[in-house]
Every structure is written in structure tokens, then in C-alpha cells.
Amino acid sequence: MDLALIPNGVQRCSLKAFVPWLLLWLLIVAWGLLSAFLVLFKGLNQTNMNHYFAFGLWIVFDLSVIALGAGAFFTGFLTYIIGKEELTAIINAAVVIGFICYSAAIAMLGIDIGQPLRGWFIFWHANVHSMLTEVSFCITVYLGVLTIEYLPLILSNRKLNEVREFNIFGSNLHHAVALFAAAGTFLSFFHQGSLGGMFGVLFARPFAFREGFSIWPWTFFLFILSSIAAGPSFTLLCVWIVQKVTGKELVKRSVFTMLAKISGWLLATYVILKIVDTISWVYGVVPRAGLSFMDFYEGTYGVWLIIAEIGIFGIIPAIILITPRLRERNGLLITGALMNITGIVLNRFVFTIQTLAVPVMPFDKFMSYFPTWQEWGIAIGSIGYGILVFSLSYRYLPLFPQEAELNPVTVLGKAVTDSGVVKRG
Amino acid sequence: MEFSRRNFIKFAVGGLGGTLLSPLPWKLMDDIAIWTQNWSWVPVPAKGKFSTISSVCTLCSGACGIQVRKVGNRAVMIEGSNEYPVNQGGICPLGMAGLQILYNEGIRWKAPVKRVGPRGSKRWKEISWAEAIGELATRIKGLRDTGSPEKLAAIDGNQSRSTMALLVKRLLDAVGSPNYMVMPREEDTFAMATFLMQGGKGPTAFDLENSDFIVSFGCGLFDGWGAPGRMLSAWGEWARSRNKTSIIQIDPRASNTASKADQWLAPFPGTEAALALGIAHVIIKERLYNREFIQNHTLGFTDWFDAQGIKHKGFSRIVLEKYSPQNVAGITGIGRSIITEVARKFASAKAPIALAGRGKGSLPGSLYESMAVHALNALTGRVNRKGGVLIPDDLPLASWSDVEYDPVAMAGLTKERVDRAGTPRYPFTGSLIQKFTEAINSGHDSPIDTLLLCSANPAHTIPDSQNFIDAMAKIPFIVSFSPFMDETSMMADLILPDHTHLEKMVDIVWPTGIQYPLYALSQPVVPPLYRTKHSGDVIISLAKGIGGAVAGSFQWAHFEEALKARVRGLYDSGKGRITHNESEPVWKGLATGGSVSSPYSSFKTMWEDIKEHGCWYIPFHSFGNWSDVFHTQSKKFEFFSTKIEMALKAYSKEKSLDDAISQLGIGSRGDEVYMPHYEEIRSSANEKEYPLLLHPVELINLASGWIGNPPFLNKTLFDHQLRKDDLFVELNPRTASRYGLKEGSKAIVSSPKGELRVRVHLFDGAMPDVIFIPVGLGHTAYDKYLKGKGVNPHEIIDPVEDPLSGQPVWWNTRVKVARI
Amino acid sequence: MKKEDSTQGTRYGMVIDLDTCTGCGVCSVACASENNVSVLYDESDKTRNITWMQIYMVTNGKGFPKTEVGYIPRPCMQCDNPPCVPVCPPTATRRDPNTGIVSQIYTRCIGCRYCMAACPYHARSFNWFDPSFPEGMDRYLSPEVSPRMRGVVEKCSFCHHRLMRAKAKAYADGRRDLKEDEYIPACVEACPTKAITFGDLNNPKHTVYALIKSPDAFRLLERLDTEPKVYYRSTKDWVRRMADNYLAGEFKGRG
Ligand SMILES: Nc1nc2c(c(=O)[nH]1)N[C@H]1C(S)=C(S)[C@@H](COP(=O)(O)OP(=O)(O)OC[C@H]3O[C@@H](n4cnc5c(=O)[nH]c(N)nc54)[C@H](O)[C@@H]3O)O[C@H]1N2
Ligand SMILES: Nc1nc2c(c(=O)[nH]1)N[C@H]1C(S)=C(S)[C@@H](COP(=O)(O)OP(=O)(O)OC[C@H]3O[C@@H](n4cnc5c(=O)[nH]c(N)nc54)[C@H](O)[C@@H]3O)O[C@H]1N2
Ligand code: SF4
Ligand code: SF4
Ligand code: SF4
Ligand code: SF4
Ligand code: SF4
Ligand SMILES: [Mo]
């Protein structure tokens, strides 16, 4: 039925199989929408956030998806600015993943603030000193950039492309892609950094506070580095999952290898700097605040967190990904990418939650936090949203340029496609 | 134009672009933001003219001067008045939250109501005041017509000297019932002790501000004891002053007072009398006592012979024999050297004072203990001396004309009180609610037909409250004057709601413990919010409704007239002062003494001034001759109370003296019976089964009397005191670990009377083997901000009778604890 | 962040004497009453309820019977170097250079709570719920302070409206400067033990000026550089020790 919309030269599953798949994710999105409705109408009391945990699951999620969405700008940067031609094989997918991540993050931020209808005050009454202002500006503008990058892809849908204006508009946009990639890179570097800066500037929260360079605390740079280390891994992982789900090879193995290598080296650099940062924090910020390392770890939020974050999910994936012999093995490649991502998510979690859990006043208590179903709903709902958007994009848009080449289309497929031509009136 | 898909898309894209460029979305966005700033469900306080009105807080008998800020007709803020002599600007948190009592619609009765469903069904019908008063008048008239006026009883929580209390008492007198009961307080116990040792029934006054050394045997000096506004102000003064008053706090728990004190001693609960006598021992042994006072103005210090020539052991001999620091250390757990050191410090201070009591003092104390503590004041000659325990002249309030007793009343008044207070069995006690409930619960029919409840919520606030609730179930007709939907009024048949403290004029006659005579008068801060009526007016109308001699005893048109009739006496005395300058605290001038003549030339002008300033007082004390101040048989301070001796003689007419003594609950024998001594008060519960003690604790930020805790005070409770609906008990970590209890553990505390579900807070400052539990929560009535929060310790208190006084001992219930 | 010059102009601050404070809670109740602070059904949830003046209970950590308790009342510290101000995206909170008071504009606040993450004193509260007052209690609300809506952050304002009131009066009298006792916050005025002193920390004629120079004076978490204008005073080492974090052997008691 929807064959007319399916890109030329590729094969997709039947609508009968596709619709239930969509429904499954729609159900999860519905959970998210119900949660969002409750939160917007009843207020943030629907969450388990409180005066101590001013930020909760959603901010962890936001920071994580934004870091993982970095695959988009970074792949763009590598493809168009550095000129890594091989990466054009996944640039479309990276853009869609980036778009999903950023749109979900902004939506979630909108729900997370107590007065969403005043959200625009950030722009109108902007306080330029606030890292959050910087983040808001950058991610909003960057979502625009991603939209513009996504648009030509949408317009290249077989049916839409038949509209002449769209065709022209799309191909013109396409020419400007390098420009947008440059803008995206700039914006992204800044907001990835500002997200790190958000925590690093909290000078009265010794767990998060970092010295830095000029107005930027070290976390600014560490967040940039960790996001570009994780982004490609995430793109890799997503594409690999799509391959597994569709049972098709969509990009060449060499593309994966390249992403893994880039990710690996960046991660290795990041891990080294993160260790340096941690040591200088332990000997700088911490004793100056009159505290010692172990004061920051208690109960659920024990030392295991830092061991897991830097040791298990930092050093190990870095080694896997930078070692050609290891990353050549598919199993290890995926494990490495997954561990890399896990480490970065842990990092975002620790900065958000543990910063707030650790008591600063000597007579204060360690607190702990667990999200409500509404919070989970919105977080998991946005994953559902992502899968929906990606599934639709994959089905109807020419996401993978190498797909046709790697999967020669059957006769039957062609015939069906041809019969789907709609006559113009 | 042809309608094609292409055109449609063009149109849509163009339209979208056009709209975005138009001002519409931006205007909408702005309007929506403005809407969030003006949500209709966020209250908007009405504007109005600002004004200030002064009055007196009468939520407790501390009588603090207050200034209430008003906007139009609404009161918006209460502050302590700097120009008021009692509190000098300070008030307690309860007084500060007073507006939450006035304006809390959810806890107030808004009109007289009659019960229509079965008791406890909470089905009520609003009726008119005429109907309400008429119904009660008819009932009381009926009792009188059948010759049983004594079947009317009243439980009164008004301050015992106040005009309201006098009015309630007068109603019962005129009707002919002896069954007028007051809610017992520590103050009464101490007054009983001073009555037995010094004679005279005036209020007891403590000149604390002029004292340089205070030993408090359990009084929560800064936890709500006495007149709390005064005490907090006094503490501020002490804390700042260079020549700081030293305080020794005796307390089983590291209370706020204990922590502020210079020294904290923690004897086993109930052994305070032994500690006092141990201190006395050292003072006597080291001859540190005031010899002049002891020799000339006391009876029974050394061995003596009475008129019959019988030799009696002196107080000093008994103390020397029985209360050596070594013995006392064994009883109290306080080290010998500490006892000696405290005794020496006490005796060598310039103006030491010893205080008896527990917590806020809103529950009765122990008589012999009060006597033992007061003996220390006598040993050092601190009676009626600057910075000591003063024996003041009462306020010169005018007396009302005598009650008209008709034959029915006279017959009724000869009947024995249901609670047997004042009978030879309980010779010195004014009222005994515990005995009252016992009498009702033990008989088949209730000896009381109609019970009036004024300013009291005994169903919640008296020890072993369930007993009282059972008794209420048997009383045919219960009338509550409470403005609040409290536990007691919820079980009533007729509610005649009073105004709240900010809507009415009432007086407090001599706030608890202050060292100079003061008459405090509140004025309405706002007009009554609901169809409530001043209980004073209700009683006057009621008396008129009953008619006859009863009406004849209440000839005033309304309450204010009755009150003014008393206040006239203040004018007639020609003395007194009304205004106060905060830079000249009254206690500073006390030393100079002298007389203050009133500047008023007419009662009318004076009355207006009293209303405006809220008080009348005499800012000095005449430290008269010791020979004039004691009203005992011997005209001396009696270590050996001849009053006890006479009472025992009367009681033992038909039985042996020993039987009489043991029936009075006294464990000792011989001369000690008549003297301050330590009585071990043992609960009957099995110590093996119930190895721990339950000690209720009163907190200054938790209302524990008849006033329900306002929500603002809930804000100030820590989450280790109340979490959700769970009340925490404090337990020493060592004791807790013995029962496998950790911070926050849920547990059941049970006594032979029942059990309470609580959580545990580990507190180093709690005496091992004692469970400390805050009093004031566990309401089953009021609104959702109070009801069901925490538990009420009174439910499981298993009281023993205090020897001689017969009051319930509420601080040493034996309990056990088990983890849930 | 660049620190504001804190030696010039008026800098309102307070000194709370912890040796005097009995933890009675009057300041807290006075503040709630004065500033229309809303009331939750469950006020025991200290992570959600609103209290501008929070009282903390501390103990000396010694066992029975050497235990001592103390209290630390905590309004907003009105930091001279407030970590909460620079982080606020829509500039809803600001340090007034003329008074040193850190303001909070409820109608500007978007409820992002970044300021709460920044403040180590937990001086800021978020309105998780619509403001609620038990039935009938809206009748005591003061028109001087607007009740806050759900979804915004609120905190102690040093009773800003009292400053406005005092200034209005002074201006009407043709004066530009306020006398020491003309502007006093509700909690300070209400404290029955007079444990709190308020005034201009930069004005040598004000009592607080001398008080903060005493060796008994200290601030909470001083080493974090927030420069609070709320000072405390205590002669007890164990209390002073509670005010900040110290490495082993770092804390020098005063004996
Ligand atoms: N003397 C003196 N006067 C001043 C100033 C000063 O510094 N000194 N400052 C000036 C300045 S800067 C300002 S902004 C103004 C502020 O002056 P106002 O706007 O008059 O004062 P606010 O206290 O902000 O609140 C106004 C009223 O709005 C009510 N309100 C709160 N929420 C809502 C709602 O949702 N809907 C509705 N309808 N009402 C609501 C509040 O209860 C309050 O009664 O005062 C100005 N006037
Ligand atoms: N709790 C609470 N907090 C609030 C508010 C509230 O209603 N309640 N309201 C909020 C609102 S709406 C506002 S606008 C802010 C107001 O907050 P601020 O803007 O801080 O208001 P003011 O204290 O009036 O500060 C103005 C300062 O300017 C100085 N000044 C006066 N005239 C001049 C001049 O000609 N030149 C210069 N350079 N200085 C001058 C004054 O001395 C004063 O110190 O407070 C906010 N904070
Ligand atoms: S101490 Fe008593 S009189 Fe004074 S404010 Fe408190 S409740 Fe009212
Ligand atoms: S009112 Fe004064 S004494 Fe009471 S808690 Fe507050 S600061 Fe302490
Ligand atoms: S105490 Fe907290 S809220 Fe107040 S100024 Fe300092 S950082 Fe900001
Ligand atoms: S919660 Fe409000 S005041 Fe705090 S940072 Fe966000 S916008 Fe600013
Ligand atoms: S200064 Fe005002 S707003 Fe701040 S705590 Fe005190 S009373 Fe509350
Ligand atoms: Mo304003």
C-alpha cells in the first residue's frame, strides 16, 4: 500500500509487519504522553524530584541524549569539514539520530521546568552568565540546524521529491550542507561544553565544581570531548541495531571500523584527561572545601560509581576501540561501543544526581532519589519516539546510500515499486 | 485558481510562514506567560488600610502582649509587643501562629449545634443560640427540679483565677453542684506544696530574673514552662548578660533547657526528690544553710517536742540519716561528688532558687517532690527574698456579691464530690479528673447527668485518656463550649462554641510564675467570624434561663460587665500601673519596692487604658517580714507540715494511722510522712515484662494542651520527630540496639494500657532505658492537617496515684518496645 | 565569577547568636506568617515543604549524659558572591548592589531549579504544588507579599517589602537613609530571645558591624567563597565546628 513512498531500489518489509512494530512504539509514546500530560497539568509533584534533587532523571537523560546525539554534528564535521568521504554512508542516519536526540531533549526540558509557558523568558530576559542560557540558545538553534539538515532528506522521499519546488528546495539546501555542518559544529561544541559548564561552575557544590580556563571550567572541555567520543559510538550502535533488526547490511564494515577508531581514540584521550581532572579535583577542590574523597561516596552512590565510570566503562572500551585486532571482531566492537556509551551516561548521571545527593553542610544528610513512573514514562517515551521517527525515516527515506549497492533489489520488489506510480492529474 | 495538491502545499507553507511573521503567535506567547502570572487559583490577598491593634495572647496562661497587624478587617500578622511587661516583645511559636487558629475554618464550630445522629456519628444540626441555651437551661432546671443539682458537673480549663473560671464555678455553685473540676497543672501541685509548708493559697511567684543561680528539677524553662514568652525573653537577657545567671537543669533527656544550662544532671525519672534531699544533706552537713531563717522562722528543722510533749524527728536529722550523697547517688544515678558540688554552689550563690516541675508544667506534679525541692529554698532562706520564691499579696480584684443559694443548691452542695477531691481521702487536692472518671466507670449508672466542658479537651490531654473517653460514653448529656472540633466536643451532644482568643475579651489573672501581680486583659482583634458566642455571655444567659436564685446570682447583662465588676477593685485599690516602657523591665525595679499610686481619676478612663494596653500591674514586691508571710499554724515555714498532721488525724478517725497513711498512698512511716521526703513511686506493671519507662516530652513548638497544633508549627517539627503520619520516639542508641532498633525503625511501644505504633529516633541525649515521646499529636479530631498525625502517649499512660495528692503520675509508665 | 565589591554601600546582613538561640521556631513561624508561605498537608516532608527560615538541629556527638543539642536557623544567606544568581537563565534572581539583598522575582522564574542546584544551603524552595492554605486561612494573607504560584522557586527575601515600607516612610519624611531600627525583618523582630541582630554590615554605627568582627563570629561554609551576609556567633567549639567542613586537624578550636 505504501510502496509508492518507499525509496527506489530498496526493499522494505510488508506494511502488515510494519504497522504492529509502529504500534508497539506508539504505545510507549502514549505512556510518555500520559506522563507529560500529568506533569503539565498537575505539576512537578508528579515526579520524585525535590528540593535536594532539583534535577532528576530527565536532566540525566537530556545530558545523555545530547552527548550521544553528538554523532550528528561530529559526523557532519568529519564528513564535510575534514572530508572523510566514507562517512557519507552514515551521515543521513547520524542526522536523524541527532534530530531525534535534540528534539526529545528540548521537549523534555520543556516539561522539566516548572513554568513551561514562560520558557521563552530564557531568550527574552537572557542572563548571559548562565551556562543554561548558553545551552538553551545553542540547542534551540542547533535543533534548527538539524531540522534544516533533515529537511532535504525528508524531501528526497520519492513522492515528495516529485513536487518540483521541493525538489529544487531540497537540492539547494543540499548545497548549503557544509555551511550548516560548520554552524552545527560550532553550536554543538558550545552547548556540549556549556552542559559540562553547568555543573563545573557550581562553585558551592564541591563535587561538581572545577577550575578551568577563562570562564570555562574543565568540565566544559571534558563534556565536549566525551560527547564526541560517545557520539560516533552511538551512531555506530544504532546503525548496527538497524542492521540486526532489518537483517540487512546497510553500511560497509569499513565505516564501522572508522567510527570505532575515531571514538576509541577520542575516548582514550578523554579518559586520560578525566583521570587527570579527577586527581587534580581530589587534590584541589576537595581539600580546599575541607572535604576528603570518601565524603562524596556513600550508600547507593558509593565509590563503585567512579570505578565503573572511569575504569570499567572508560578504560576498557577505549582499549577495545583503539586496538585494531579487537575492534575487528564484531562482538567486541559492539561491546566497546556500548561500554563507551554507558560510561558517558554514567558520567552525566553522576554529575547530575550525585552532585545533589552529596551533603555540603556538615549537618546535612546524604539523600537518594528514584524516579516515578511518570518520569520513566517521559524518558522511555522519548526512546519510543526516537525509534518511531527512525523507523519511518528508514522506511520512507533514502537513509543509507550504500543500501541499494549492498542489497541488490529483487525483481518482485521493482515490479511492485513501478506499479505504485501515481498518475499526476 | 485550480485546487491542486501543489497549490495546497504552497498555501499551507505560505500560511505558516505568514502567521509566524505576524505578531499573533508572539502576542499569544506573551499572553499565555502573563496568564501563568495571574492564575486564578493562586490567592490574591485583599488590599485595605493597614492598622495595628494590641491585645494579649490567651492561648496559654502566659499572657503575652501582642500587636496584631490588620489590613482592613483582616488580621494578617501577630507580633510580640515590646511594651508589655510580661514578655518584653517575645512570644512563643504557638502565639505566633495564632491566626491559623482564628482563620482555620476546618477546625472551628461555626454555630451552636446539636447532635442528631448517634454519638460519634458526626451528624450535627445547626440551631439558634436561644434554642441551644434554652435546651441546656431546661436540662439543668430539670436536675434541680428533681433535687439532684449535683448531677451537673463541669471540667474547666480556664486559668483558675480568671473571670471565666470564676463564672463557671459560680454557675455550679448557684445551681448547687460541688462537681466543678479544673484541668490539673504543675502549678497546682507546687501551690499545694507551698500551702502545706507556708500556708496561704496565693499564686506562687518566682523572681527568676533577679536570681543568679537556678536549679530546675525538670522544668522546661525554655521549652514552654511558666509564662513561655517571659521565659524566652529572660533567657535572651541571661544569655547576653555578663553576670550570667547560672542554670542547672535536672532532666532525664538533653532538652533545649538542658543544653542551654550551665550544667545538666540526669537522675532516673521520679527520683528528683531524692536528689533535692541529697543536696539538702550536704547543705545541712556543711552548715551552709541560712541559720537566721532556719532558727527563727521554721518549724521542724531540728528535733522538737509538740504540744503533747511528743518528740519528733527534725528534718535535718532525717536528711542526714537517709540522704547522704552516697545513698542518693544509688537512688538517682548522680555521682556523689556532683551532688556535693551542686549543693555547695547552690548554697553559696547570692540569690539561688530551686524549681520543681516537669516540662511545660501543664500536667500535675508530685507533691512530696515539690516539697523536697521547696525545702532547698527554705534552707537557703530564699522565701520571699529578692531573686527567690515570693509569697505575694493577691491582686486587689473586687469580689462579686455572694452567690444566692436556694435550698436546692444548699442541699446539692452538701453532697460529696464525685472525684472526692477535698474529702479526707484527698484533703488538699482541688479536683481529680482521674478519680472522677473512675467513679463513673466503676458504677452502673453515671452519677453525673450533664457535663460541661470549657476550654479543655480532656479526651486527648489527660493521662490515660481512654478511661476518660469511656466515662464520657456513660454520661447522658455532654455540653462543650469549645470553639474547636476537638476530640471532646466531637463526643458532645450540644456544642455552644466560644469565640477564639482573637475574637473576645478575657482575662488572665496573674500569669504563671511571674514575680509581681499582673492582670492581663485581651480585646477582640477582629469581630467574630462565625455565629459563635462568648462563653461568658452564654453562662450568664444560661443562668437567666434557669431562673430563680441562679439567675439572681448572675445579674450582669453580659460578660464584660461581670469582668468590669472585678476590675473595679483594681481601681479602688488606688494603685497600679498600666503602661510599660521596654527599657525598664519590671523585675529590675522590684528591688526598690515602694508603692505605685494610680494616676486615674475615674474608673472609666482606667478601664479604657487597661483595654488598650492589655494589663494592670504593680511593679514592685514588698519583701515583708518573714514573721508576717507564713500563714501556717506555727506562723513559720513548716518542714513538718501541721496541715498534713491534721488531715491524717481526720482521715484516721475510723482506722489506724498506719492504715490511713497507706491508703493515702504514702510509703514512708513516722515523722517523714509530714515532711518532704522521697517516695518511690512504683508502677504495678511487671518490670520483667515491661523493662522500659515511657516519658512524655513537651516541646515548645508542639501545642500539647487543648489547642490543636497549628500547621505552621508542623513546619517547625523535624523529620526525626514526625515523618508523614509517624511520630518518632527518642531512644538512646544503646537501648535501641538491644531491641534491634535502628534510626527510623518502626516499632510498637506497649504498656498494660495499650500500644502505640511509632518510629524510633536514636538520640544520644536520651537516658538509656527510657522512651521519650512528644505530647501533642495523635489527634483523632480536628482537620486533615492534624488528625491522624502521630500518636497520643496519653492513650497508653498507666498512671499510679501520687501519694497524698492523688494526681496521676504520668512520667513513669512501664513499657516494652518491639520492632515491627 | 567576578565578585561584587562588598565594601561599598549598604550591605544588609544578620548575626544569629547560636548560644542564645533555643531553637524555639518562632522566627520560622514569623517568617511563614509574614511572607504568606504556603502550607502542605504533609509538612514533615522537608524535601518538598516550604520554609524560608529553616532550623537545623545539631548535637555535639557525645554520648549520654554529655550530649548537648543546638540549633542553626538558616534564612537565605544573601551571599555577596551568590552561586545562585549567575546561573539563573532568565535573570529571575539578582543581587542588588545597593543593598546586597538577593532578590527573587517569582513572575520571572521559569522553574528550572538551577539556582537550587547551585545553593549549598538549601535556602531555595521550589513550589512543587499549587500554593495551598488550609480552608479559610487565605484570610490572613498579607497584601505586602504576593503568594507564589506552582512551578517557581522562592526563598527568604530579607523581608524585602519591609525595606520598601521603611524606604517609603523615609522618603515621605524627606530622608534617603534608613535608621538602624527602621528596617528589621520579621524573624529578627520576632525572636523572643533576641538572638538575631540585623543591620548594615558596612555601617560602623550599626550593631552588626562590630558583631561580625568578633572572633566568635563565623559563617556557614565560608571556605566555599559564597560570602554569606548571614553570620553566626557561638563560643562553643563544637558548634563552630558544625559550620564548615574541615580536614583532620584543620579545625582550630578556641579552647
Ligand atoms: N514604595 C514602593 N513602591 C513600589 C516599589 C518600591 O520599591 N517601593 N516597587 C515598585 C515595583 S518595582 C513594582 S513591580 C510594584 C509591585 O507592586 P504590586 O504589583 O502592587 O505588588 P506585588 O506585591 O508584586 O503584587 C501585587 C498583587 O498581586 C497579587 N497577586 C499575586 N498573584 C496574583 C495572581 O495570580 N493574580 C492576581 N490578580 N493577583 C495576584 C498579590 O497578592 C498582590 O496583592 O511596586 C512598585 N511600587
Ligand atoms: N520577596 C520579594 N522580593 C522581591 C519582590 C517582591 O515583591 N517580594 N519584588 C521583586 C521586584 S518586582 C523587583 S522590581 C525587585 C526590586 O528590587 P530592586 O531593584 O533591588 O529594588 P530596590 O531595592 O528598590 O533597588 C533599587 C536600588 O536603587 C537605588 N536607587 C534609587 N534611585 C537611584 C538612582 O537614581 N540611581 C541609582 N543608581 N540607584 C538608585 C536604591 O537606593 C535601591 O538601592 O524586587 C524583587 N524582589
Ligand atoms: S506563651 Fe502563651 S500567651 Fe504567650 S504567645 Fe505563647 S501561647 Fe500565647
Ligand atoms: S526565634 Fe530566635 S531563639 Fe527561636 S529559633 Fe529563631 S533564632 Fe532561635
Ligand atoms: S544562600 Fe543560597 S539562595 Fe541565598 S544567596 Fe546564597 S546561594 Fe543564593
Ligand atoms: S528556578 Fe527560577 S530563579 Fe532559579 S534559576 Fe531557574 S529561573 Fe532562575
Ligand atoms: S528575613 Fe524575612 S524572609 Fe528572611 S527568614 Fe527572616 S522573616 Fe523570613
Ligand atoms: Mo518590579
Side-chain angles (χ1 to χ4, degrees), chain B residues 348-375:
Chain B
S348 62
K350 272 220 293 281
I353 191 166
L355 300 173
R358 273 183 184 77
K360 290 180 185 170
S362 49
L363 288 162
S366 169
L367 181 56
Y368 278 123
E369 182 183 302
S370 293
M371 290 171 70
V373 172
H374 194 42

Short mmCIF file of all heavy atoms in Angstrom, two decimals, chain B residues 348-375:
data_model
loop_
_atom_site.label_atom_id
_atom_site.label_comp_id
_atom_site.label_asym_id
_atom_site.label_seq_id
_atom_site.Cartn_x
_atom_site.Cartn_y
_atom_site.Cartn_z
N SER B 348 26.11 28.70 98.09
CA SER B 348 26.99 29.87 98.11
C SER B 348 26.55 30.95 97.12
O SER B 348 27.11 32.04 97.10
CB SER B 348 28.43 29.44 97.82
OG SER B 348 28.49 28.88 96.54
N ALA B 349 25.54 30.65 96.32
CA ALA B 349 25.07 31.69 95.38
C ALA B 349 24.41 32.81 96.16
O ALA B 349 23.93 32.61 97.28
CB ALA B 349 24.11 31.08 94.38
N LYS B 350 24.40 33.99 95.55
CA LYS B 350 23.77 35.14 96.22
C LYS B 350 22.26 34.98 96.28
O LYS B 350 21.65 35.22 97.31
CB LYS B 350 24.09 36.43 95.44
CG LYS B 350 25.39 37.09 95.85
CD LYS B 350 25.28 38.61 95.89
CE LYS B 350 25.09 39.29 94.55
NZ LYS B 350 26.27 39.45 93.75
N ALA B 351 21.68 34.62 95.13
CA ALA B 351 20.23 34.51 95.10
C ALA B 351 19.82 33.24 94.37
O ALA B 351 19.32 33.28 93.26
CB ALA B 351 19.64 35.74 94.41
N PRO B 352 20.03 32.09 95.02
CA PRO B 352 19.67 30.83 94.36
C PRO B 352 18.17 30.57 94.47
O PRO B 352 17.49 31.11 95.34
CB PRO B 352 20.45 29.79 95.15
CG PRO B 352 20.55 30.36 96.52
CD PRO B 352 20.62 31.86 96.37
N ILE B 353 17.69 29.74 93.56
CA ILE B 353 16.27 29.39 93.60
C ILE B 353 16.14 27.96 93.05
O ILE B 353 16.85 27.58 92.14
CB ILE B 353 15.47 30.43 92.78
CG1 ILE B 353 13.97 30.29 92.98
CG2 ILE B 353 15.76 30.35 91.31
CD1 ILE B 353 13.23 31.52 92.46
N ALA B 354 15.28 27.19 93.70
CA ALA B 354 15.07 25.81 93.24
C ALA B 354 13.64 25.68 92.74
O ALA B 354 12.70 26.14 93.39
CB ALA B 354 15.32 24.83 94.39
N LEU B 355 13.48 25.09 91.56
CA LEU B 355 12.16 24.98 90.95
C LEU B 355 11.79 23.52 90.76
O LEU B 355 12.61 22.73 90.32
CB LEU B 355 12.16 25.64 89.57
CG LEU B 355 12.50 27.12 89.50
CD1 LEU B 355 12.62 27.54 88.05
CD2 LEU B 355 11.40 27.93 90.18
N ALA B 356 10.54 23.20 91.07
CA ALA B 356 10.07 21.84 90.85
C ALA B 356 9.12 21.82 89.68
O ALA B 356 8.38 22.77 89.46
CB ALA B 356 9.35 21.33 92.10
N GLY B 357 9.14 20.75 88.93
CA GLY B 357 8.18 20.64 87.84
C GLY B 357 8.70 19.76 86.73
O GLY B 357 9.81 19.25 86.79
N ARG B 358 7.85 19.58 85.73
CA ARG B 358 8.27 18.77 84.59
C ARG B 358 7.77 19.41 83.31
O ARG B 358 6.60 19.76 83.21
CB ARG B 358 7.67 17.38 84.70
CG ARG B 358 8.52 16.46 85.51
CD ARG B 358 7.97 15.06 85.56
NE ARG B 358 8.83 14.28 86.44
CZ ARG B 358 8.78 14.36 87.76
NH1 ARG B 358 7.91 15.14 88.36
NH2 ARG B 358 9.62 13.65 88.49
N GLY B 359 8.66 19.56 82.35
CA GLY B 359 8.27 20.08 81.04
C GLY B 359 7.61 21.43 81.14
O GLY B 359 8.08 22.33 81.84
N LYS B 360 6.49 21.56 80.44
CA LYS B 360 5.80 22.84 80.42
C LYS B 360 5.03 23.10 81.72
O LYS B 360 4.56 24.21 81.94
CB LYS B 360 4.77 22.86 79.27
CG LYS B 360 5.37 22.89 77.89
CD LYS B 360 4.25 22.89 76.85
CE LYS B 360 4.81 22.80 75.47
NZ LYS B 360 3.75 22.55 74.47
N GLY B 361 4.85 22.05 82.50
CA GLY B 361 4.08 22.23 83.72
C GLY B 361 2.59 22.19 83.47
O GLY B 361 1.80 22.64 84.28
N SER B 362 2.20 21.65 82.33
CA SER B 362 0.76 21.64 82.04
C SER B 362 0.10 20.36 82.52
O SER B 362 -1.08 20.14 82.26
CB SER B 362 0.50 21.86 80.55
OG SER B 362 1.32 21.01 79.80
N LEU B 363 0.86 19.53 83.20
CA LEU B 363 0.29 18.33 83.80
C LEU B 363 0.67 18.35 85.28
O LEU B 363 1.62 19.02 85.67
CB LEU B 363 0.86 17.09 83.11
CG LEU B 363 0.34 16.84 81.69
CD1 LEU B 363 1.23 15.88 80.93
CD2 LEU B 363 -1.09 16.33 81.71
N PRO B 364 -0.09 17.62 86.12
CA PRO B 364 0.19 17.72 87.56
C PRO B 364 1.56 17.17 87.93
O PRO B 364 2.11 16.31 87.26
CB PRO B 364 -0.92 16.87 88.18
CG PRO B 364 -1.39 15.97 87.10
CD PRO B 364 -1.21 16.73 85.82
N GLY B 365 2.10 17.68 89.02
CA GLY B 365 3.40 17.23 89.51
C GLY B 365 3.24 16.31 90.70
O GLY B 365 2.16 15.83 91.00
N SER B 366 4.37 16.09 91.36
CA SER B 366 4.37 15.20 92.51
C SER B 366 4.52 16.03 93.78
O SER B 366 5.40 16.88 93.87
CB SER B 366 5.52 14.21 92.35
OG SER B 366 5.71 13.51 93.55
N LEU B 367 3.64 15.79 94.72
CA LEU B 367 3.57 16.68 95.88
C LEU B 367 4.82 16.63 96.77
O LEU B 367 5.42 17.65 97.07
CB LEU B 367 2.31 16.35 96.70
CG LEU B 367 2.09 17.22 97.93
CD1 LEU B 367 2.06 18.69 97.57
CD2 LEU B 367 0.79 16.84 98.63
N TYR B 368 5.21 15.43 97.19
CA TYR B 368 6.38 15.35 98.09
C TYR B 368 7.64 15.86 97.39
O TYR B 368 8.53 16.43 98.00
CB TYR B 368 6.60 13.92 98.59
CG TYR B 368 5.70 13.57 99.77
CD1 TYR B 368 4.83 12.49 99.71
CD2 TYR B 368 5.74 14.33 100.93
CE1 TYR B 368 4.02 12.16 100.78
CE2 TYR B 368 4.92 14.01 102.02
CZ TYR B 368 4.06 12.93 101.94
OH TYR B 368 3.27 12.63 103.01
N GLU B 369 7.68 15.63 96.08
CA GLU B 369 8.83 16.12 95.32
C GLU B 369 8.87 17.65 95.33
O GLU B 369 9.92 18.26 95.56
CB GLU B 369 8.72 15.60 93.88
CG GLU B 369 9.87 15.97 92.98
CD GLU B 369 9.61 15.47 91.57
OE1 GLU B 369 9.42 14.26 91.39
OE2 GLU B 369 9.57 16.31 90.65
N SER B 370 7.72 18.26 95.12
CA SER B 370 7.66 19.71 95.16
C SER B 370 8.07 20.21 96.53
O SER B 370 8.78 21.22 96.66
CB SER B 370 6.24 20.20 94.86
OG SER B 370 5.92 19.92 93.52
N MET B 371 7.64 19.49 97.56
CA MET B 371 8.01 19.90 98.92
C MET B 371 9.52 19.78 99.12
O MET B 371 10.15 20.65 99.71
CB MET B 371 7.25 19.07 99.95
CG MET B 371 5.76 19.39 100.02
SD MET B 371 4.83 18.23 101.05
CE MET B 371 5.41 18.67 102.70
N ALA B 372 10.09 18.69 98.63
CA ALA B 372 11.52 18.47 98.81
C ALA B 372 12.33 19.56 98.11
O ALA B 372 13.32 20.08 98.65
CB ALA B 372 11.91 17.09 98.27
N VAL B 373 11.88 19.93 96.92
CA VAL B 373 12.60 20.96 96.18
C VAL B 373 12.44 22.30 96.89
O VAL B 373 13.40 23.07 97.06
CB VAL B 373 12.09 21.04 94.72
CG1 VAL B 373 12.69 22.24 94.00
CG2 VAL B 373 12.43 19.75 93.98
N HIS B 374 11.23 22.55 97.34
CA HIS B 374 10.99 23.84 98.00
C HIS B 374 11.76 23.92 99.32
O HIS B 374 12.12 25.02 99.77
CB HIS B 374 9.49 24.07 98.22
CG HIS B 374 9.16 25.48 98.58
ND1 HIS B 374 9.75 26.57 97.97
CD2 HIS B 374 8.31 26.00 99.52
CE1 HIS B 374 9.28 27.69 98.50
NE2 HIS B 374 8.41 27.37 99.45
N ALA B 375 12.02 22.77 99.93
CA ALA B 375 12.81 22.76 101.16
C ALA B 375 14.19 23.39 100.92
O ALA B 375 14.76 24.04 101.82
CB ALA B 375 12.96 21.33 101.68
#
